[in-house]
Amino acid sequence: MEKLFLDKKGSIKIASKAYLIIREKSNFSVSQINKIVSIGRDPKNDFILSSKGISRRHATIYLKDKCYFIVDGDLKGNVSTNGLWVNGIKISVHQLDNYDFISFQKGVEAFFIMPEECLSTGKMLELFFKKSFLFASGKTIRSSFLNGSEDRELKSQSTLVPDPKNSMLDGLTYLPNRSNFFSRVERALLFKEQIDQQYIFAVLLIDLDRFKIINDSLGHLVGDELLVNIAERLSTCIREGDMACRLGGDEFGVLLSDLNSLDEAKLITQRIQRSLSKPLQIQSHEIYPSLSIGIASSNLGYKTVEGIVRDADTAMHYAKSNGKSKFIVFNEKIHRTATNLFQLDNDLRKVIKQDGLQIFYQPIVSLKDKNLTGFEALLRWKHSDKGFISPSVFIPIAEENGLIHQVGDWLIDAVCQQLASWNNSSNIKNSLAVNINISPKQLMDSSIVKRLLDNTRKYNLDPAKIKLEIIESILMESTEQTKKVFIQLKEAGFQLAIDDFGVGYSSLSYLNRLPIDTLKIDKSFVKKIGGDGETTSINVTHSIIALAHSIGIKVVAEGIENLYQLAWLRQQKCDYGQGYLLSKPIDANEASRLAEKGLDWTWKC
Ligand code: C2E
Ligand code: MG
Ligand code: MG
């Protein structure tokens, strides 16, 4: 490394690189800084400091995106024994600015000068000593020692550099915070890129499943305590040299450094998952934490922190949507799925804007008197390249990106208009009802009640003829807010149905939590009637019908596909039926024709 020695009279020339003036006791040296320089007692360092108390690798300065950073220790994450101060503040990572004053320890200090700076030696030394006086080896001088101008300078410095407690640690859990974590991952990337290409590390993104429900139902204090407990467990089960942080909300990040292989990362993740999922007693509540974890490993050649964290996040979301409580390593397949979803997300936005979604209607019939009682409205998306896309694919996307409200509002209006047209048709004798699927996301906002009421008034409809279908998990996961909306909907006269009942393992005892009118037995039970595994399905279906009737709730069987199923359900006194045997979902015109003629039962039973 080229060194420029200070000539007491001369001045330092303009340099294209930054430079560092180092004072060790009474020796001064000025050196230009290359892309990465290490400072410490190790003879292999670029700047060798020999004083007692200086660590082998006390600090590292590196250049990234035209900015210089200094870190305590080395880029692998090993920190110095005595710490590092910049402008009187202990730092772990710091972006260097002109005239930053670095203290390694008392009497061993440095002064940073940005490229293209031209200073006379006298001016530089004057600045150096002034800073040295202000920021003596890590201890900020009390302002009573300072005269007015220095006081002002110190105050302006302290607004530039926030309190380390706030800037480095998360206020609730005292784990390192997001920016602290990002700097460590950055250092790991730099180490791999510039020092050891074989170096393996991994980033984990950990998200607590159903945290919002815990927060909403048990209160924020319990939620906070849960986060603190999780943070404590996390910091005890990572290895020395790793870093755990709270990224925000219920999201934690872990940097697993210096791994032998990706398998090692998986083993550590398993250990973390086991430890964090153990039951917790918070106040009077027993909580079973469940976590979804995404892993991204440095093997994929990341260049940026954002890249590796983004992929860990994608893997974490993948783990969540694939059943939660698991960990997934980011790979090419997940990348393709994510890209596909991103594309679908864009296309969905377009199709909604262009009014390109359609509504199909599937008949619901009374199994007692075989009359058509109404239809379930089901969304259809005919994609220009991909053909029909199932609502089971695009509804979760719309829920995720918030479009569900726009889609839901449009659907409510269109379905109400259709029902009014059937009501006003002289060719339709039956008084029909429509079932509308409502996403739990829509129930979080009570404006849905007003939206539905506005439409019933606009089209002059009886709210009792609108049945709102909500998935079963709402029974277990309902919050105070959803409960409130449910009650408002019920008071406004709408009918409430639980969709796909039986798959979510919620017991019938949950039913009295919400004012429910109808249960829709999931088609997976109906499908097995008369087939393999019939006994369990028959028992479950039989019990659901009997118990629902005993508390005055009507039952609809979904997915009736054959005559045997139909006959068995009629025998069990199931109230209503729906399924391909009776009719597939059909467009509005066909549904109108069917409503006029009624269903043809001659070949059925
Ligand atoms: P779901 O509400 O349980 O709707 C019944 C699903 O079962 C429909 O699928 C229907 O086409 C299908 N189905 C009906 N009879 C049979 C049968 O005999 N055999 C079989 N194998 N399947 C049958 P679809 O239309 O693909 O809808 C899937 C899910 O997407 C719906 O399940 C519902 O959860 C959701 N969905 C559809 N439209 C909307 C909507 O407007 N809003 C919301 N939030 N969700 C919707
Ligand atoms: Mg439904
Ligand atoms: Mg269903």
Side-chain angles (χ1 to χ4, degrees), residues 39-83:
I39 309 165
R41 284 178 68 136
D42 195 330
K44 288 189 226 127
N45 286 323
D46 304 300
F47 295 94
I48 304 157
L49 303 173
S50 52
S51 302
K52 240 174 129 193
I54 295 287
S55 305
R56 272 183 60 234
R57 281 158 190 267
H58 204 102
T60 311
I61 296 180
Y62 63 88
L63 178 66
K64 176 89 183 165
D65 301 330
K66 298 193 177 135
C67 298
Y68 286 90
F69 295 84
I70 186 163
V71 299
D72 179 27
D74 63 18
L75 292 181
K76 260 177 141 179
N78 301 310
V79 292
S80 71
T81 336
N82 294 331

Side-chain angles (χ1 to χ4, degrees), residues 58 83-86 88 101-105 108-110 135-138:
H58 204 102
L84 186 71
W85 284 261
V86 176
F101 185 80
I102 303 157
S103 298
F104 301 92
Q105 67 162 55
V108 189
E109 284 135 358
F135 309 120
S137 68

Side-chain angles (χ1 to χ4, degrees), residues 362 376-380 390-392 395 399 404 407 411 436-439 442 469 471 499-500 520 522-523 558-561 578-581 583 585:
Q362 186 174 32
E376 175 173 2
L378 293 161
L379 272 168
R380 292 290 175 263
S390 164
S392 326
I395 292 289
E399 285 177 332
I404 191 69
V407 173
L411 182 120
I436 297 178
N437 291 285
I438 301 285
S439 151
Q442 290 171 274
E469 294 190 9
I471 50 164
D499 204 356
D500 304 343
K520 295 189 79 179
D522 189 65
K523 52 182 175 291
E558 295 185 316
I560 305 174
E561 291 188 357
Q578 185 181 350
Y580 292 169
L581 177 75
S583 166

Side-chain angles (χ1 to χ4, degrees), residues 200-374:
I200 304 175
F201 66 94
V203 169
L204 312 186
L205 232 120
I206 304 175
D207 192 276
L208 276 170
D209 300 325
R210 294 186 279 274
F211 178 71
K212 194 178 170 341
I213 293 157
I214 294 175
N215 230 359
D216 288 353
S217 52
L218 305 181
H220 288 245
L221 286 179
V222 175
D224 283 357
E225 215 173 305
L226 172 63
L227 292 174
V228 171
N229 275 285
I230 291 287
E232 276 168 9
R233 286 181 174 180
L234 194 55
S235 38
T236 53
C237 62
I238 57 170
R239 303 160 313 156
E240 208 173 305
D242 292 343
M243 184 195 239
C245 81
R246 179 169 173 226
L247 290 167
D250 59 343
E251 235 177 51
F252 296 86
V254 174
L255 170 70
L256 299 178
S257 51
D258 218 352
L259 295 163
N260 293 315
S261 65
L262 181 56
D263 284 343
E264 196 185 352
K266 290 186 196 164
L267 282 175
I268 303 169
T269 308
Q270 263 167 4
R271 204 177 62 216
I272 292 177
Q273 194 147 37
R274 261 199 312 273
S275 155
L276 268 54
S277 322
K278 286 187 188 144
L280 272 166
Q281 186 73 32
I282 298 180
Q283 293 170 18
S284 57
H285 309 283
E286 182 150 43
I287 295 176
Y288 291 82
S290 153
L291 307 117
S292 298
I293 308 182
I295 308 176
S297 98
S298 63
N299 291 345
L300 294 185
Y302 293 99
K303 292 274 176 274
T304 61
V305 181
E306 287 72 22
I308 191 165
V309 173
R310 177 203 58 220
D311 285 356
D313 188 54
T314 306
M316 183 274 288
H317 277 103
Y318 201 82
K320 248 191 206 306
S321 55
N322 280 277
K324 302 191 170 106
S325 197
K326 52 172 71 169
F327 72 83
I328 295 227
V329 181
F330 183 84
N331 59 23
E332 194 40 45
K333 186 176 154 229
I334 294 175
H335 176 67
R336 272 201 308 276
T337 313
T339 321
N340 226 334
L341 279 180
F342 177 72
Q343 187 59 47
L344 274 185
D345 183 305
N346 274 345
D347 294 350
L348 185 60
R349 285 172 199 275
K350 264 188 238 150
V351 81
I352 290 170
K353 232 183 187 170
Q354 296 159 358
D355 255 350
L357 290 177
Q358 275 178 284
I359 304 168
F360 271 43
Y361 295 89
Q362 186 174 32
I364 298 176
V365 297
S366 157
L367 294 186
K368 191 173 164 206
D369 57 23
K370 303 179 182 176
N371 278 337
L372 174 73
T373 57

Side-chain angles (χ1 to χ4, degrees), residues 35 284 349 427 589:
K35 258 178 116 180
S284 57
R349 285 172 199 275
N427 297 328
N589 290 334

Side-chain angles (χ1 to χ4, degrees), residues 483 486-487 490 494-497 511-517:
K483 226 181 253 177
F486 252 76
I487 291 164
K490 189 70 203 154
F494 297 102
Q495 295 267 305
L496 300 173
L511 287 174
N512 45 30
R513 292 189 177 188
L514 299 167
I516 305 300
D517 302 287

